[in-house]
Amino acid sequence: MYRLGAAYEPLERLMFETTDMETGEVDAEIVNALCAMQGEATDVALNAATLYREAQMQVAMYKEEEKRLADIRKGLEGKAETLKRAIDTFCKKTGIERAESVSARISYKKNPPSVKIDNEADIPKEYWRVKLEVDKTAIKEAILSGKTVEGAHLESAVSIQIK
């Protein structure tokens, strides 16, 4: 692709430079070379698009595998958390505060205090966080309705579709 793209532009420029402006006559050899190059370029582009589609299929396959593995991991995390709570309950019932073996150690530590909210409505405003973010949908609607929004504009783009 890079080789053909780099070769195509100078040849196209040469065709325009050598065109007779009065008659519109072009060099047939240059036109034939461009046509041949265009056919080859189409083949190269289609082959690259095929590779792109294969890469997309592999990405989809890996995403599906990631989801499957994440589901397995979440299940194991749930089992581990359930087991940890059961061990905690058992140790508290039996008075075990510390135990150690070659493969595991059980102990309790005091955690730092954490805030528990009893009623959010009673919390003074000074302890609230407010996150400001730009509302692009509102800006788009405003511009489309004819308003000027400083610091923003609408921009249309073209994207390639490979199916």
Side-chain angles (χ1 to χ4, degrees), residues 11 14 17 35-36 39 42 50 57 61 76 82 91 99 101 107 114 119 124 131 140-141:
L11 196 55
L14 181 63
E17 290 171 359
C35 287
T42 300
T50 300
M57 288 187 283
M61 178 189 69
L76 289 172
T82 300
C91 287
S101 73
S107 64
S114 63
N119 186 357
K131 181 180 176 187
K140 181 178 180 179
E141 290 171 1

Side-chain angles (χ1 to χ4, degrees), residues 35-82:
C35 287
M37 199 177 287
Q38 182 68 38
E40 186 180 350
T42 300
D43 290 344
V44 167
L46 288 172
N47 287 338
T50 300
L51 291 173
Y52 169 80
R53 292 198 60 223
E54 288 173 0
Q56 279 185 313
M57 288 187 283
Q58 285 182 331
V59 166
M61 178 189 69
Y62 282 114
K63 280 184 178 179
E64 196 58 41
E65 183 65 8
E66 287 172 355
K67 182 186 175 309
R68 186 184 74 78
L69 291 173
D71 290 344
I72 292 171
R73 178 188 47 82
K74 287 175 188 172
L76 289 172
E77 286 173 344
K79 286 180 183 178
E81 194 55 40
T82 300

Side-chain angles (χ1 to χ4, degrees), residues 5 8 19 22 25 31 37-38 50 55 58 60 80 82 84 87-88 91 112 122 125 135 138 144 150 152 154-155 163:
Y8 190 83
T19 299
E22 292 176 12
E25 189 176 321
V31 171
M37 199 177 287
Q38 182 68 38
T50 300
Q58 285 182 331
T82 300
K84 182 179 179 183
I87 294 167
D88 181 40
C91 287
D122 293 337
K125 295 299 177 202
D135 185 349
L144 288 174
E150 286 295 319
L154 294 181
E155 187 173 285
K163 298 179 180 180

